[in-house]
Amino acid sequence: MIRHTHLYYSLKDVQIRKMCHYSNHKIVCCCLLMLTQWDAITEMDEQNRPIHTFQVCHVMEPNQNNWLRSGWIQRQAAQRVYVELRFTLRDCNSIPWVSGTCKETFNLFYLQTDDPLPAATRFRPIDYAKVDTIAADESFTQTDLGDRVLRLNTEVREVGPVTQKGFYLAFQDVGACIALVSVKVFYKRCPSTLRNLAAFPETVPHMDSSSLVEVRGACVENAEERDTPKLYCGADGDWLVPLGRCICSIGHEEMDGHCRACKAGFFKANAGNVKCSKCPLRSSSHDQAATICHCDKGFYRAIKDPPTMACTRPPSAPRNLVSLINDTALFLQWTPPANTGGRNDITYNILCQRCDGGDSGETQCEPCEPDLHFIPRPLGITGTSVAVLDFAMHANYTFHVEAVNGVSELGVAARSLANITVNTHQAGVLGPAFLGIVKKDWATYNSIALSWSEVQQPHSDIVDYEVKYYEKEQEQLSYSSTRTKFPSVVVTGLRPSTVYVFHVRGRTPAGYTAYSPNFEFTTAAEDPDVADQGQVLVVVTASVGGFSLLVILTLFLLITGRCQGYIKARMKSEEKRTRFHSGHVPFSGIKTYVDPDTYEDPTQAVEEFAKEIDPSCICIDRVIGAGEFGEVCSGRLRIPGRKDIAVAIKTLKGGYMDQQRRTFLREASIIGQFSNSNIIRLEGVVTRSRPVMIVVEYMENGGLDTFLRTRDGQFTVLQLVGMLHGIAVGMTYLSDMGYVHRDLAARNILVDENLVCKVSDFGMSRVLEDDSEAAYTATGGKIPIRWTAPEAIAYGKFSSASDAWSYGIVMWEVMSYGERPYWEMSNQDVILSIEEGYRLPAPIGCPVILHQLMLHCWQKEYSQRPHFNDVLSFLDKLIINPSSMLALVNDAISFPDSPEDMPDYPLFISIGDWLDSIKMSQYKSNFLAAGYTTLDSISTMSIDDVKRIGVCLIGHQRRIISSIQSLRLQLHHIQQSGFQV
Ligand code: ACK
């Protein structure tokens, strides 16, 4: 860095009497005048280049006073002037014969004036002020060879202070041998510079060396000031103390102290000293200095999207739109679009049209009724399902489910719609079929590797596959299952030389595919060296399950308690929506069930509750089954002025006794009291002519048990839950009316063409003669053992709580597609195993949460079972939030044969959930860090353990310990009362 400005440069130019600058500084010309005795001599240096010098060497003569003077030197901007002298000075000792006359110094003087002195002005030494006496550091020395070697001395002196416009320099020789090679006159300055993207001009320091000159910088081109940029110029020409800064403007980045424009393909949206960024995905910039990249065609940026975000586009249409309908609610469920457009802010809008055949026969569509109710809402749905309430029956609705994201508004593309037309007269849509062929890849003595082709279906969004298998000889008495994400699996733990039956189904977001056909494969012959290790594991896991389940059940009570509040609030807020539970009569309601047996004359009850039908209005089509009292037929009811209704007609066969007639008609006087969409509707009775008939609404799909058995695996979980929901609606209605069914079972639920399930078979609610499942108990009653709660079997205590037990069994039947509860176990074994604490395991593919609900219904202590309205609100919640059912019960499940083999029920809650439930969530990490990862592990914790893991507040220690203690106490109580888990 050049920090000196030369005023006067070299003596070589003296020869031409002009001395000029040739550097990047202003030209300063002057000349040296020889006054006395000095000679201008040109010598050759070592490289043989000529050196122009002024010399004087009168060492032999005393009293020398020889002067050399410069021309007038303009001060320019200089405040402090420096003179650098380069010279040789001969050592007096090296000169033979010199006496005391030889000197080894010379003097430097100066004279300042505002103007050059007139040429004729006489030189007067007295006018000059002395700067210093200059001595040599080096001198001419003699070498051994007698050559003279030139040694150059360099000395710098400050001249001044110079305050006038210019000055002269003068050199006084007093008897030395000097050769003056160059005189450089300069002043110091801070050079122009760039610092922090600001330019600072060349600056001359203050005369006063202790004070700095403050200089303000100017931002470079395309930069903007943040804090005023400043530098201070020091006396030595150094820039000091940089302050403030400039930053590159938008579209520009810092490079080598300047702000350069971003290259094409790059952008910079904000001012600042960051680099230009490459254009995000799906965008580009063609010009330099881009402040934003423009989205490629068909892609967009939402207003709130940062410029660094890739451009996105509207999503594709939702997929796998399915519907499920019952009398009160219509559920639409779909899976997210295959292409989200690159965004994660997808929401869904439901657009609804009602399309009816007009007079001309053409279908006319118009927007749906404004009072159609959507839960959670029709627009801006964040989940992938919606419930539609208050729709008209026997109508065609077309629902468009539109997927939108943050750029949908900006796109000109067609709307991303999935459509479904729902006839509120028809059933919901079933899941896809499974078309794969299952192959055996290889087999060992205890394993078989299978593979199959991927399901090729429109709904083939396979989440995973379920492989169900069992020993052929055992039939389906005990089966196992496993899951795999890929279309292949190695099934292990098999028996040697055994034929196994396999069938596979896929799970899609819309539900299961149907099962593949059965495939039979055989394991290889036994390898005697390999031992079976599977047994031990089962026992170990079973032994830790108890505490977990206890906590699960306790928390479940809390949850259902909350659900109750929710449903009540909902019912209160919107009267219309009580249709969801249509016909539901609250506890405090006026309507209660009247037992027909309390009538002195039962025919009076029939008259009161059932309408007499003229038999000529009944048109019997065919026989559909056989009842205890006679055939069951299907037909039509033709009441003049009314639309024909499909009906089922139960007949009382001829030759009956009076008692039989009363028992037969008793059912009509019971059903006649009910009015609920999930209870079979009584159309009327024929009592005044023969045959005596009970006419009820016709249910196209007959009994739920056979209906499910013939459609194994064909429904989504949501559809099955929809069925259970309907049954719970009916049972809530019954229990609210104070009616105890006593024979709730899938066979006594009828299914209509829309999959709506209705509770039926009321006639036998006291004497279960009719039910083939009913068996005589020790107390003499006839009871369907597998469906009946222990206290009802043991001492005839039937209640809504015993109906809740039966409801749990119905849940199990539904989730296992009509499997027989407890399979082929004898009734006696069922009673004993229940008594010993065994409970049915979860059916394969059953959401964990549903099995927890079943277990809750099967509590030995009937007061601890859920009320039907608890069940209902719980199912409501599941339907509105189907993702809660994603956790499935996995792996091999078979009915245990001993208490030790009881399966470890999957954890419903974690340590985290438990802590949340007691509002101690802040200690989650303490528990986990201390190794308490399961609920079983906390069951033995003492207060010291709780302190040790870092719970310091006494109140919190107490709350945690008392929760653990109460759980422990309940476990003890349950074990005492025989409920083993
Ligand atoms: O299992 P299912 O097909 O359904 O066979 C029995 C049979 O009659 C004897 O009860 C069927 N059934 C009873 N009531 C009705 C009804 N309301 N609609 C249709 N089928 C019915 C039942």
Side-chain angles (χ1 to χ4, degrees):
M1 193 195 300
I2 300 163
R3 291 205 214 107
H4 300 159
T5 294
H6 301 186
L7 298 179
Y8 175 46
Y9 180 63
S10 165
L11 290 183
K12 68 183 175 188
D13 293 325
V14 165
Q15 297 307 320
I16 53 168
R17 298 281 172 215
K18 289 264 184 206
M19 297 193 302
C20 302
H21 276 280
Y22 58 85
S23 70
N24 55 344
H25 301 117
K26 280 188 217 158
I27 295 170
V28 177
C29 295
C30 65
C31 56
L32 278 178
L33 299 176
M34 283 177 294
L35 296 173
T36 52
Q37 305 297 326
W38 287 76
D39 298 311
I41 293 174
T42 299
E43 289 191 340
M44 306 306 271
D45 70 4
E46 294 90 350
Q47 277 92 39
N48 237 9
R49 288 175 308 194
I51 316 172
H52 308 287
T53 63
F54 283 89
Q55 297 191 5
V56 66
C57 194
H58 301 291
V59 289
M60 299 295 193
E61 296 144 49
N63 305 321
Q64 292 296 309
N65 189 15
N66 307 315
W67 288 86
L68 176 70
R69 196 204 75 183
S70 73
W72 190 69
I73 303 166
Q74 221 172 348
R75 179 170 64 85
Q76 302 177 5
Q79 305 260 359
R80 297 157 72 93
V81 175
Y82 297 87
V83 177
E84 181 198 87
L85 304 173
R86 292 171 74 225
F87 60 94
T88 60
L89 196 76
R90 191 133 178 221
D91 177 0
C92 287
N93 291 333
S94 67
I95 308 170
W97 317 119
V98 289
S99 59
T101 54
C102 179
K103 301 283 186 303
E104 292 181 343
T105 61
F106 63 96
N107 299 315
L108 174 64
F109 289 83
Y110 81 107
L111 166 68
Q112 52 177 328
T113 61
D114 274 332
D115 295 299
L117 296 172
T121 310
R122 200 169 58 87
F123 177 76
R124 292 198 314 157
I126 193 133
D127 296 336
Y128 287 76
K130 185 170 174 181
V131 178
D132 204 359
T133 297
I134 313 291
D137 289 333
E138 307 280 349
S139 56
F140 283 116
T141 45
Q142 205 81 35
T143 66
D144 292 345
L145 298 171
D147 293 337
R148 286 200 304 147
V149 177
L150 188 68
R151 299 276 183 205
L152 261 185
N153 296 281
T154 303
E155 292 290 325
V156 178
R157 294 290 181 274
E158 188 181 336
V159 178
V162 182
T163 51
Q164 297 192 21
K165 285 186 185 156
F167 60 93
Y168 294 93
L169 291 177
F171 304 90
Q172 183 194 29
D173 165 53
V174 287
C177 197
I178 310 163
L180 196 55
V181 177
S182 76
V183 177
K184 193 157 82 183
V185 183
F186 62 92
Y187 61 87
K188 293 181 181 174
R189 66 188 171 95
C190 295
S192 61
T193 189
L194 290 178
R195 197 73 71 87
N196 292 339
L197 293 175
F200 294 86
E202 179 182 303
T203 303
V204 178
H206 264 166
M207 180 135 31
D208 171 8
S209 63
S210 62
S211 66
L212 304 176
V213 183
E214 182 187 297
V215 183
R216 206 187 147 136
C219 290
V220 298
E221 211 180 339
N222 297 312
E224 48 201 67
E225 208 173 280
R226 272 298 167 268
D227 300 308
T228 309
K230 275 187 208 163
L231 275 180
Y232 291 87
C233 181
D236 281 336
D238 294 320
W239 286 113
L240 305 168
V241 203
L243 294 175
R245 67 194 178 115
C246 299
I247 53 169
C248 287
S249 310
I250 51 173
H252 293 81
E253 66 185 347
E254 197 262 321
M255 202 183 288
D256 304 329
H258 293 274
C259 291
R260 311 272 183 223
C262 298
K263 288 186 287 184
F266 287 77
F267 80 106
K268 204 182 110 190
N270 300 310
N273 290 341
V274 289
K275 291 284 169 200
C276 298
S277 312
K278 217 169 164 13
C279 284
L281 219 59
R282 311 281 184 210
S283 70
S284 57
S285 65
H286 299 295
D287 298 324
Q288 291 198 336
T291 56
I292 194 142
C293 296
H294 297 289
C295 291
D296 298 348
K297 200 159 180 272
F299 290 84
Y300 309 92
R301 192 173 277 130
I303 291 168
K304 284 189 180 157
D305 288 352
T308 45
M309 186 173 144
C311 293
T312 53
R313 60 177 159 188
S316 57
R319 292 170 301 154
N320 307 330
L321 175 60
V322 294
S323 69
L324 163 67
I325 182 167
N326 66 27
D327 256 8
T328 51
L330 188 159
F331 302 98
L332 297 176
Q333 198 189 5
W334 57 90
T335 48
N339 186 337
T340 59
R343 306 183 64 88
N344 53 15
D345 56 354
I346 289 198
T347 56
Y348 305 93
N349 298 328
I350 311 292
L351 316 166
C352 173
Q353 283 186 317
R354 188 169 164 181
C355 302
D356 292 313
D359 295 340
S360 59
E362 274 176 34
T363 308
Q364 290 177 341
C365 294
E366 52 187 42
C368 290
E369 309 86 304
D371 54 353
L372 213 63
H373 207 97
F374 294 85
I375 295 174
R377 66 192 82 85
L379 303 178
I381 300 164
T382 47
T384 53
S385 62
V386 69
V388 187
L389 309 181
D390 299 338
F391 51 82
M393 294 307 282
H394 304 288
N396 274 331
Y397 286 96
T398 299
F399 294 97
H400 305 271
V401 181
E402 181 188 29
V404 293
N405 65 14
V407 296
S408 290
E409 290 288 297
L410 309 169
V412 285
R415 301 169 81 178
S416 311
L417 298 173
N419 305 329
I420 195 165
T421 298
V422 183
N423 184 332
T424 54
H425 201 60
Q426 284 174 5
V429 179
L430 305 184
F434 184 95
L435 295 180
I437 299 220
V438 179
K439 287 193 305 175
K440 180 174 89 175
D441 293 335
W442 47 262
T444 66
Y445 74 99
N446 68 350
S447 61
I448 294 180
L450 303 173
S451 62
W452 53 92
S453 46
E454 297 250 28
V455 175
Q456 296 298 321
Q457 285 278 333
H459 302 285
S460 66
D461 222 72
I462 295 288
V463 178
D464 55 17
Y465 294 92
E466 181 191 58
V467 180
K468 191 167 157 183
Y469 58 97
Y470 53 89
E471 281 180 36
K472 191 181 178 194
E473 278 193 2
Q474 299 282 309
E475 286 298 329
Q476 285 205 38
L477 284 183
S478 163
Y479 56 79
S480 304
S481 82
T482 182
R483 278 178 191 285
T484 165
K485 280 196 178 320
F486 307 101
S488 60
V489 71
V490 178
V491 181
T492 54
L494 305 180
R495 296 202 309 152
S497 309
T498 306
V499 180
Y500 282 87
V501 178
F502 295 88
H503 52 170
V504 180
R505 64 176 174 171
R507 185 160 65 104
T508 76
Y512 280 104
T513 65
Y515 271 115
S516 69
N518 288 356
F519 290 87
E520 293 180 12
F521 302 114
T522 311
T523 45
E526 186 165 16
D527 176 351
D529 292 333
V530 183
D532 185 2
Q533 299 164 345
Q535 301 288 325
V536 185
L537 218 106
V538 176
V539 175
V540 173
T541 52
S543 64
V544 296
F547 194 73
S548 307
L549 182 59
L550 170 70
V551 179
I552 291 158
L553 295 175
T554 309
L555 286 190
F556 181 80
L557 272 172
L558 287 172
I559 290 164
T560 51
R562 266 187 259 141
C563 296
Q564 221 174 319
Y566 157 75
I567 200 86
K568 277 179 190 155
R570 225 176 53 153
M571 289 167 70
K572 206 172 164 190
S573 70
E574 223 173 313
E575 222 268 298
K576 255 190 199 167
R577 288 161 65 182
T578 54
R579 237 187 115 174
F580 205 47
H581 308 265
S582 58
H584 170 93
V585 179
F587 284 117
S588 57
I590 324 112
K591 206 172 169 190
T592 44
Y593 166 71
V594 182
D595 187 346
D597 296 339
T598 57
Y599 282 73
E600 245 175 52
D601 176 8
T603 46
Q604 224 185 313
V606 180
E607 274 169 25
E608 193 175 326
F609 297 120
K611 230 183 313 162
E612 184 70 29
I613 297 175
D614 185 336
S616 65
C617 298
I618 299 168
C619 171
I620 293 180
D621 287 336
R622 61 191 172 92
V623 176
I624 54 172
E628 168 78 3
F629 298 96
E631 285 144 349
V632 181
C633 305
S634 69
R636 272 156 298 126
L637 183 63
R638 297 183 151 165
I639 306 273
R642 259 176 64 181
K643 228 171 117 187
D644 280 10
I645 304 173
V647 289
I649 305 133
K650 292 187 173 188
T651 56
L652 177 62
K653 61 182 174 235
Y656 54 81
M657 317 273 284
D658 240 358
Q659 176 58 39
Q660 284 173 315
R661 183 179 189 271
R662 275 201 293 275
T663 311
F664 176 72
L665 286 174
R666 186 173 180 274
E667 179 173 25
S669 49
I670 294 169
I671 310 176
Q673 298 186 44
F674 304 141
S675 167
N676 181 275
S677 54
N678 293 95
I679 291 180
I680 194 82
R681 187 178 70 247
L682 179 73
E683 295 295 344
V685 288
V686 177
T687 57
R688 293 177 197 151
S689 61
R690 304 232 174 138
V692 174
M693 294 186 260
I694 298 176
V695 182
V696 294
E697 67 179 309
Y698 181 66
M699 301 290 284
E700 290 77 359
N701 282 309
L704 178 60
D705 57 341
T706 36
F707 173 68
L708 288 174
R709 271 178 218 136
T710 52
R711 287 165 182 81
D712 194 358
Q714 292 183 9
F715 299 111
T716 63
V717 167
L718 199 59
Q719 282 174 311
L720 296 177
V721 173
M723 297 176 200
L724 292 174
H725 183 274
I727 301 167
V729 168
M731 290 309 297
T732 305
Y733 177 86
L734 293 180
S735 68
D736 285 358
M737 278 193 75
Y739 178 82
V740 179
H741 191 289
R742 300 178 180 221
D743 195 10
L744 180 58
R747 65 182 169 279
N748 291 332
I749 303 295
L750 292 169
V751 186
D752 79 2
E753 57 174 357
N754 297 318
L755 298 189
V756 177
C757 291
K758 305 198 181 191
V759 182
S760 92
D761 265 57
F762 295 89
M764 303 306 125
S765 56
R766 250 166 53 104
V767 264
L768 291 159
E769 297 299 334
D770 177 43
D771 196 330
S772 58
E773 284 294 348
Y776 286 101
T777 62
T779 51
K782 221 180 165 200
I783 283 174
I785 301 294
R786 285 152 216 274
W787 283 263
T788 305
E791 75 279 9
I793 297 173
Y795 47 92
K797 176 146 185 56
F798 285 95
S799 62
S800 288
S802 63
D803 278 352
W805 178 291
S806 311
Y807 181 82
I809 302 288
V810 173
M811 283 185 75
W812 191 91
E813 290 184 277
V814 169
M815 297 315 294
S816 61
Y817 284 92
E819 189 81 79
R820 180 169 164 72
Y822 311 94
W823 300 276
E824 297 313 310
M825 283 172 71
S826 69
N827 280 345
Q828 204 46 44
D829 284 350
V830 170
I831 293 170
L832 281 174
S833 60
I834 292 294
E835 199 44 46
E836 282 172 29
Y838 294 174
R839 297 293 182 271
L840 280 167
I844 290 166
C846 173
V848 171
I849 202 156
L850 289 177
H851 187 230
Q852 300 301 339
L853 178 54
M854 294 177 205
L855 292 170
H856 200 39
C857 292
W858 300 330
Q859 299 219 55
K860 185 172 175 72
E861 178 54 55
Y862 62 82
S863 62
Q864 289 185 2
R865 293 176 206 148
H867 292 289
F868 278 108
N869 45 15
D870 294 335
V871 172
L872 193 54
S873 52
F874 189 72
L875 293 178
D876 263 343
K877 272 180 85 176
L878 293 190
I879 288 169
I880 285 168
N881 178 20
S883 58
S884 56
M885 293 186 284
L886 284 180
L888 302 182
V889 178
N890 285 324
D891 300 324
I893 296 169
S894 56
F895 189 69
D897 354 81
S898 71
E900 286 76 29
D901 289 343
M902 192 65 190
D904 182 15
Y905 292 109
L907 273 184
F908 177 56
I909 54 158
S910 61
I911 286 281
D913 292 336
W914 167 64
L915 287 169
D916 288 342
S917 78
I918 58 169
K919 296 204 164 49
M920 292 282 102
S921 319
Q922 66 268 43
Y923 296 113
K924 283 179 192 174
S925 53
N926 301 49
F927 275 82
L928 293 180
Y932 293 100
T933 51
T934 66
L935 288 167
D936 304 295
S937 62
I938 60 160
S939 63
T940 52
M941 279 182 95
S942 65
I943 190 126
D944 286 337
D945 294 329
V946 173
K947 279 184 202 159
R948 205 170 15 253
I949 66 167
V951 180
C952 301
L953 296 174
I954 293 169
H956 291 182
Q957 291 166 2
R958 284 210 193 110
R959 192 183 302 179
I960 289 167
I961 277 297
S962 73
S963 170
I964 293 173
Q965 277 170 349
S966 95
L967 293 168
R968 231 187 270 143
L969 265 174
Q970 288 176 51
L971 177 68
H972 179 71
H973 173 72
I974 285 170
Q975 281 171 340
Q976 290 290 301
S977 62
F979 182 85
Q980 291 174 11
V981 287

